[in-house]
Amino acid sequence: MVTTENLSPTAGLIAGGSLLVDYMLTVAVSVASGADAITSAIPILHPYNLHISIFLVLLLMLMNLRGLKESATSLMIPVYLFIVSTLLLIGFGFVQILTGNLDYHATARIGSPIAGVSLILLLRAFTSGSASLTGVEAISNSVPFFKKPKAHNAAATLSIMALILGIMFAGITFLNYWIGIVPVKGVTTLAQMAQAILGTSPLGRILFYVFQLSTALILAVAANTGFSAFPMLSYNMAKNKYMPHMYMEKGDRLSYSNGIFTLAFGAIALLCIFEGNTERLIPLYTIGVFVPFALSQTGMVVHWKKKYGNNFLKHSIANILGAIICYGIVLILLLFRLRDIWPFFPIIIVLTWLFLSIKQHYNRVAKQLRLQDHIERQNYTGNTVIVLVGNVTRVSVGAMSYARSIGDEVVAMHVSTAETAEKDAEVAEEFADYFPDIRFETVTTSYRNIISPTVQYVIKVAKRAKKEGRTVTVLVPQFIPKKRWQNVLHNQMSLKLKYYLKWYEDVVVASYSYHLKE
């Protein structure tokens, strides 16, 4: 909204599209990291890392479709478990150092030169690490939900979160340095640190598994934020006619199920494309985060400019600084990680084009449906009902009775092929016995496909009826099995016929359903 109102609708769409993609990446990165935590604890599962990630996405999808609520109670356990276990691990690590039980194995001493470290490497690391701070905006977005005084409580929460984050970051960084952690395939650096600190004793192994469990759970919570944010964003964009209206529909559990499905399958697609590799996903995640951040910060600067004129600087200094940082990160990504982030740009271009096309479509539909001052009303002289007949059954009998009630002219139409000519003649005779007063039209075709001759016949009748000022209704008889799963046992010809017939003007397509009792 900030970007749209202060910059332009197109900029707002770019920000919105970026966030939609980023929520998919949030889920993908979080579950992939969670899978890494699980397989670090249970190495035998490492070949199934991608499968675990996909399973976690599907599990979260089902939970949200069932109506999972992000209540304080449901989030409290994994969040507090992770905070407590991490702080205890850091504290125990420092105790081990002070007591001499954790030896110094740093790969390089502080102040000594390290071969291969360059400014480019540091900038690449900075862009990857900056993504870890992208959740702080959740507090500012949730200010309306805080107890009064809202601003004070939100600021206090943000300060506490910053303190916890700072302690964790500093502690983990120092312990990784002290222990001499280096990247090992199949084991996260956090898992290596926990193993080194907790040791291999039975109690140490138990605590290690608890820590890895807390890590996996907190990452699941992080992934679940996407399942709450994506449906709401898609709802708002659909409300403004930039996305299909189906994203405004709620499921049985009052969740925006279409948004949940889209997010889940988008995340699974990303996991499959990038093979669940977090190192390849994080650059895309970072660019997806900081493009809308940069646009929103710019929008806020413009907002203050509009409100205060030339005195806007003192009000917008935080936004200017934020914009500079965000644009700086985007620039670094463009310069040094373009190979990793290039898919983001064609995706956003396509999404923006789709948003604008959808908006244009809805505007055209509204224009065509809007009532004008002078509406020409059509007075029909009658209704011709064409009943499609395959065989003479109870369904046909019921359909004929219904057709007589809605039309002054009823025609039974049957398609005959070369292979079924003999049987079709029997059908015609049987129909004449039951309905001697209804005209039975047989359309012969040399192909097995009955849809084309049916459509051609209906069009011919519709053209003649239009000249006479009559309507044409095509009645498609069908039977409904007692149990829903039994539908797969029968051909869906009625659905196909209705699909092809609905595209033709001056033709009304209706169904007659006969419900089976057994």
Side-chain angles (χ1 to χ4, degrees):
M1 184 179 293
V2 171
T3 306
T4 301
E5 291 180 356
N6 295 291
L7 297 180
S8 70
T10 303
L13 292 178
I14 293 172
S18 300
L19 286 174
L20 288 175
V21 174
D22 192 62
Y23 288 137
M24 292 183 182
L25 285 162
T26 297
V27 175
V29 170
S30 298
V31 297
S33 300
D36 287 341
I38 293 171
T39 56
S40 294
I42 311 174
I44 195 173
L45 296 178
H46 188 263
Y48 307 101
N49 211 310
L50 178 60
H51 302 81
I52 294 172
S53 300
I54 294 173
F55 171 77
L56 291 174
V57 174
L58 294 175
L59 180 63
L60 287 169
M61 181 190 75
L62 292 174
M63 291 172 67
N64 281 274
L65 288 174
R66 292 285 297 173
L68 176 70
K69 298 296 183 182
E70 283 193 333
S71 63
T73 304
S74 62
L75 294 180
M76 181 176 64
I77 296 174
V79 170
Y80 286 161
L81 178 62
F82 177 74
I83 292 174
V84 171
S85 61
T86 304
L87 292 178
L88 287 176
L89 180 68
I90 293 171
F92 186 62
F94 278 100
V95 170
Q96 293 281 72
I97 292 173
L98 294 174
T99 56
N101 294 321
L102 191 61
D103 296 333
Y104 179 74
H105 292 293
T107 54
R109 292 185 176 276
I110 296 176
S112 60
I114 303 175
V117 176
S118 62
L119 178 62
I120 294 176
L121 181 62
L122 293 174
L123 290 175
R124 285 169 62 95
F126 170 70
T127 56
S128 296
S130 61
S132 63
L133 300 175
T134 56
V136 296
E137 80 281 357
I139 293 178
S140 60
N141 292 339
S142 303
V143 170
F145 303 105
F146 278 86
K147 292 182 178 180
K148 294 181 180 180
K150 296 181 179 182
H152 177 269
N153 290 333
T157 304
L158 188 62
S159 300
I160 294 170
M161 188 185 72
L163 178 63
I164 294 172
L165 180 62
I167 293 173
M168 286 184 177
F169 178 77
I172 291 172
T173 302
F174 177 79
L175 289 171
N176 271 273
Y177 163 75
W178 183 274
I179 298 169
I181 300 295
V182 294
V184 175
K185 186 177 181 180
V187 185
T188 63
T189 56
L190 208 56
Q192 291 182 63
M193 185 188 79
Q195 285 177 325
I197 294 173
L198 298 173
T200 57
S201 65
L203 179 60
R205 295 300 298 171
I206 292 172
L207 293 175
F208 169 72
Y209 287 124
V210 171
F211 178 72
Q212 290 300 103
L213 174 64
S214 71
T215 304
L217 287 175
I218 198 68
L219 288 166
V221 171
N224 195 58
T225 58
F227 279 97
S228 60
F230 183 96
M232 286 305 302
L233 178 58
S234 57
Y235 167 83
N236 288 323
M237 295 191 72
K239 188 177 180 181
N240 291 306
K241 301 181 180 180
Y242 287 112
M243 287 183 69
H245 285 169
M246 68 177 188
Y247 288 102
M248 297 171 62
E249 298 174 2
K250 289 187 176 182
D252 295 337
R253 299 279 177 165
L254 300 181
S255 60
Y256 296 107
S257 51
N258 290 321
I260 293 172
F261 278 124
T262 303
L263 174 63
F265 291 122
I268 290 173
L270 288 168
L271 287 168
C272 293
I273 292 170
F274 294 97
E275 299 176 343
N277 190 328
T278 54
E279 292 181 7
R280 297 173 63 192
L281 286 166
I282 285 176
L284 275 174
Y285 173 72
T286 306
I287 190 72
V289 167
F290 283 99
V291 165
F293 278 12
L295 290 172
S296 63
Q297 292 296 322
T298 306
M300 284 304 300
V301 174
V302 174
H303 166 75
W304 295 123
K305 174 69 174 175
K306 290 178 180 178
K307 187 173 183 179
Y308 294 104
N310 294 331
N311 297 322
F312 77 100
L313 277 176
K314 63 180 181 180
H315 298 280
S316 60
I317 187 67
N319 299 118
I320 292 173
L321 181 61
I324 291 172
I325 294 173
C326 292
Y327 282 118
I329 292 172
V330 172
L331 181 61
I332 293 170
L333 288 168
L334 288 172
L335 291 175
F336 304 119
R337 308 211 68 167
L338 184 60
R339 183 179 178 182
D340 299 320
I341 66 170
W342 70 265
F344 171 81
F345 299 102
I347 290 172
I348 292 303
I349 291 171
V350 171
L351 281 178
T352 304
W353 174 77
L354 281 174
F355 295 151
L356 293 172
S357 299
I358 291 170
K359 177 77 169 182
Q360 188 179 46
H361 167 75
Y362 282 128
N363 288 340
R364 287 176 177 173
V365 170
K367 182 180 179 181
Q368 294 177 74
L369 296 180
R370 192 176 297 115
L371 291 174
Q372 305 296 331
D373 294 336
H374 301 286
I375 300 296
E376 183 179 349
R377 298 186 180 184
Q378 182 71 44
N379 295 317
Y380 296 106
T381 59
N383 181 27
T384 299
V385 182
I386 303 173
V387 183
L388 306 183
V389 177
N391 294 291
V392 181
T393 63
R394 291 186 179 184
V395 185
S396 307
V397 173
M400 289 300 165
S401 300
Y402 177 69
R404 283 170 169 165
S405 70
I406 63 172
D408 56 343
E409 180 185 10
V410 178
V411 179
M413 184 264 183
H414 178 79
V415 178
S416 175
T417 66
E419 296 178 351
T420 61
E422 185 176 343
K423 180 184 176 183
D424 295 331
E426 295 176 359
V427 171
E429 292 178 6
E430 188 177 6
F431 185 88
D433 292 338
Y434 278 95
F435 307 102
D437 57 330
I438 296 179
R439 189 167 84 251
F440 187 86
E441 294 276 357
T442 300
V443 178
T444 304
T445 177
S446 57
Y447 302 99
R448 293 183 178 181
N449 180 20
I450 69 170
I451 293 176
S452 295
T454 301
V455 171
Q456 291 172 8
Y457 175 82
V458 170
I459 292 173
K460 182 176 69 174
V461 174
K463 287 180 178 178
R464 184 173 67 247
K466 186 176 183 180
K467 293 179 181 178
E468 299 172 357
R470 300 172 60 83
T471 59
V472 172
T473 300
V474 180
L475 189 61
V476 184
Q478 60 185 11
F479 64 85
I480 308 299
K482 184 178 180 180
K483 297 180 180 179
R484 294 183 181 182
W485 67 266
Q486 294 171 340
N487 272 311
V488 300
L489 303 177
H490 305 279
N491 68 54
Q492 306 299 321
M493 185 56 67
S494 61
L495 294 177
K496 296 177 184 177
L497 286 167
K498 286 185 285 187
Y499 173 79
Y500 283 99
L501 288 169
K502 74 178 182 179
W503 299 108
Y504 294 93
E505 198 173 359
D506 303 317
V507 175
V508 178
V509 182
S511 299
Y512 174 82
S513 298
Y514 181 86
H515 292 264
L516 302 179
K517 306 301 181 184
E518 298 180 1

